[in-house]
Structures are given as structure tokens and as C-alpha cells.
Amino acid sequence: MNQDANRRSQRAVRQLLESWQRSGVTYLKQFEPVAQNSDSPTPLVEPPHHLPVQADITSTPEPSIQQQPQTSEMTEEPIRESDQARKEISVPRTTKSKLNKGDRQAELDIIASQVSKCTRCPELAETRTQTVFGVGNPRAKIMFIGEAPGADEDKQGEPFVGRAGKLLDKIIEACQMKRSDIYIANILRCRPPGNRNPTDLEASNCRGYLDAQIEIVDPDYIVCWGSVAAKNLLHSDLPIGKMRGDFYEYGRAKVVCTYHPSYLLRNPSAKKNVWEDMIYLFADMGIDLKAQD
Ligand code: URA
């Protein structure tokens, strides 16, 4: 691995660790040393215990992740959930990322590769066709967060490509944007069987990946599509209808919550509410969507 790639992967792993930390992870077991011989490929990332734990991207000092000896794979260990701790130390980045587009994409690729091997949620790992990481502009101003992949996404490996995705594309178009302008991710990176809702533990297991994506893309705005996204990102128990019409903060990002496109497919009359929410969001960016009707 050349020096640049090595530096990038170290930074990506560090960001991932930091975001797990903010998600309530209190320890990680140590990697077993990887047996190296001339046939074995160079590991994509260095074991985390080689990395400095302290963040260099936020000014807030954070507690260090305690490591325990003996483990097989970082991805095999279910994350211990501590909702209270997670609420208290979920402090996403407050400073603007200085990374260029290429570096952000490289970091996202490293996390995506880790996600593709993730087995933290055994049921999801067994039943998925593939993981669905996220897609779009790694320097997007706006990030969309949905719930979890459905059957189409599980097949194609990309978020929002099914019926709900087609409606989302229309909403994006109505906002005079292209899908490639935005970064799109979900609370979960695996399809829950039968499209059931993600469990709290699954959302918690996947949170570090989402936080890493948010940190890397560093959007100015986040749209939570539906109550699962809103509740999980913001740790709120309010119904989605009550969360609409306000900006919430997630680190540097202003967050808008609105109805999920799947809900709109069942309740087309709510499309006007989503349109109001888009007008509200774009007005904050200085763009008058009404004038573009
Ligand atoms: N619904 C979601 O929330 N996410 C997807 O990726 C697809 C459907």
C-alpha cells in the first residue's frame, strides 16, 4: 500500500472508531495479529490498536476506547448498546472537512469494504444478498438518510432504487437537482428480512458506519426520510408529523425530517407536505423552490 493510501485508510479507520465511540461503544477487542506470508494480501486497513485514539477532526476531547486482548474480527463483535451514553456523547463533527472529493471517496470506499464483511447482525448478514452502503456525491451539500434497503436495493446494492426510490428521484428532480448531487444512505446497510423495521440493536450496530459517512461527506443539510431515520439519527421519540417543519442539529448539519417516500406511495395526499418541507430546506440555502414551479 502506498503512503497516501495508507494514510487515508488510517484516517478512515480512526473516523470509524471515533464515531463508534460517539455511538456508545465502550470497548473494542484487539485484532489477532494477521499471519503474513508472501501469499497473503496486505490487509486493507491496519489493526485499530495501531492508531491514535484521539480525534484530530474535532476540538472536543473524547474518552479513549478501551481495548481488550483477543478477538478474531472487529466486525464479528456485536456492539454494546448504551442508549444513554450514546445520547450523551453523540457529538458529531462541528468543523468543516478539508478533504477533497477524491480523498472522501477513498475513505468511503474503505468503510464500504468493511461494511461488506460486516456480521454484527447475524440474521441480516445471513439473509442479505449484499450490503447496501450508500451512493452519491462524496462532497454533497445534502445527505439523505432512509430506513434500510428493501428487496430491490438488496439485489442491486444501491439505496432507493425500488418504487420508493423512483418517487424519491421525482422529488429530487422537482428540487432541480440530480441524484448524483446528493449523498444517499440508510440507517441500516442490510435488508431486514420481510422489510421489517430495523431493531434498536441493528440500528446501533450500524450507527458507526452511518456516522462515518456523515463525517466524511460532511453535508450542510441532512434529510431524514421517515420516522425510523429521524428517530434513530436524532434519538427522538416524536412522531414524524411532529418533527416536520423545524431544523434540528447534527453536528455541523441542519436536519430536516419528513415523510418517507414509501408512506407517500400509500398516502399521496402527504406529497404536498413533503414539498413544503423541501421548500423550507431550500429556502434556508437561499433557493426559492416556489419560484421554480
Ligand atoms: N427505503 C429506504 O428507506 N431505503 C432504501 O434504500 C429503500 C427503500
Side-chain angles (χ1 to χ4, degrees):
M1 200 184 294
N2 70 30
Q3 253 192 341
D4 255 15
N6 198 25
R7 209 167 15 86
R8 275 202 300 268
S9 46
Q10 289 203 358
R11 194 165 47 205
V13 173
R14 191 171 57 232
Q15 287 179 337
L16 183 62
L17 286 171
E18 288 159 5
S19 57
W20 281 345
Q21 195 174 44
R22 285 192 292 279
S23 307
V25 179
T26 53
Y27 75 91
L28 280 178
K29 289 184 175 181
Q30 217 168 356
F31 270 72
E32 270 179 4
V34 180
Q36 294 285 326
N37 61 40
S38 51
D39 300 330
S40 60
T42 313
L44 185 61
V45 293
E46 300 297 328
H49 57 274
H50 292 160
L51 298 173
V53 170
Q54 185 57 50
D56 65 356
I57 52 163
T58 72
S59 53
T60 316
E62 292 172 4
S64 64
I65 294 173
Q66 296 160 18
Q67 290 162 0
Q68 307 221 338
Q70 291 299 320
T71 190
S72 45
E73 271 271 333
M74 186 159 70
T75 51
E76 277 181 28
E77 194 61 28
I79 296 273
R80 279 193 190 165
E81 191 177 11
S82 162
D83 272 339
Q84 198 48 40
R86 197 176 60 191
K87 276 177 197 162
E88 281 168 12
I89 63 170
S90 184
V91 185
R93 68 174 311 130
T94 51
T95 54
K96 214 167 162 50
S97 169
K98 294 195 178 79
L99 293 187
N100 66 31
K101 200 169 174 179
D103 282 349
R104 291 186 207 205
Q105 188 58 59
E107 294 198 353
L108 290 169
D109 290 347
I110 290 163
I111 310 288
S113 153
Q114 294 176 345
V115 166
S116 71
K117 295 180 229 119
C118 183
T119 54
R120 281 195 196 147
C121 306
E123 187 192 12
L124 305 191
E126 266 167 37
T127 54
R128 73 185 177 216
T129 306
Q130 59 190 309
T131 54
V132 179
F133 181 65
V135 72
N137 182 351
R139 278 189 79 173
K141 262 182 178 268
I142 305 178
M143 178 162 172
F144 283 179
I145 302 179
E147 181 176 323
D152 295 304
E153 290 77 20
D154 175 73
K155 255 189 227 129
Q156 296 183 43
E158 188 172 323
F160 282 106
V161 290
R163 276 186 73 219
K166 300 282 172 272
L167 180 52
L168 191 67
D169 287 346
K170 284 193 183 158
I171 297 170
I172 293 171
E173 208 181 306
C175 297
Q176 314 278 320
M177 297 190 83
K178 296 191 293 293
R179 194 174 158 101
S180 57
D181 294 326
I182 291 161
Y183 189 84
I184 308 178
N186 280 309
I187 294 295
L188 295 192
R189 270 128 213 82
C190 297
R191 180 190 182 205
N195 296 345
R196 63 163 170 74
N197 278 356
T199 66
D200 287 348
L201 181 59
E202 288 163 352
S204 165
N205 285 345
C206 220
R207 180 55 176 263
Y209 300 131
L210 175 64
D211 275 337
Q213 287 169 295
I214 296 172
E215 275 187 28
I216 294 166
V217 176
D218 189 26
D220 295 336
Y221 294 90
I222 293 175
V223 181
C224 287
W225 293 95
S227 59
V228 169
K231 174 182 156 219
N232 278 289
L233 186 76
L234 301 169
H235 305 299
S236 166
D237 287 325
L238 285 175
I240 188 70
K242 290 243 160 23
M243 295 190 79
R244 295 183 47 242
D246 269 322
F247 281 115
Y248 299 82
E249 271 178 21
Y250 195 71
R252 242 183 35 73
K254 288 180 164 181
V255 183
V256 165
C257 303
T258 191
Y259 295 120
H260 193 283
S262 300
Y263 175 81
L264 299 183
L265 290 171
R266 298 189 304 272
N267 301 277
S269 65
K271 285 181 186 172
K272 64 177 179 320
N273 302 113
V274 170
W275 185 233
E276 281 165 16
D277 296 335
M278 295 300 110
I279 289 172
Y280 178 66
L281 162 64
F282 277 76
D284 199 70
M285 291 193 287
I287 298 170
D288 184 359
L289 284 181
K290 282 181 288 187
Q292 303 181 18
D293 268 347

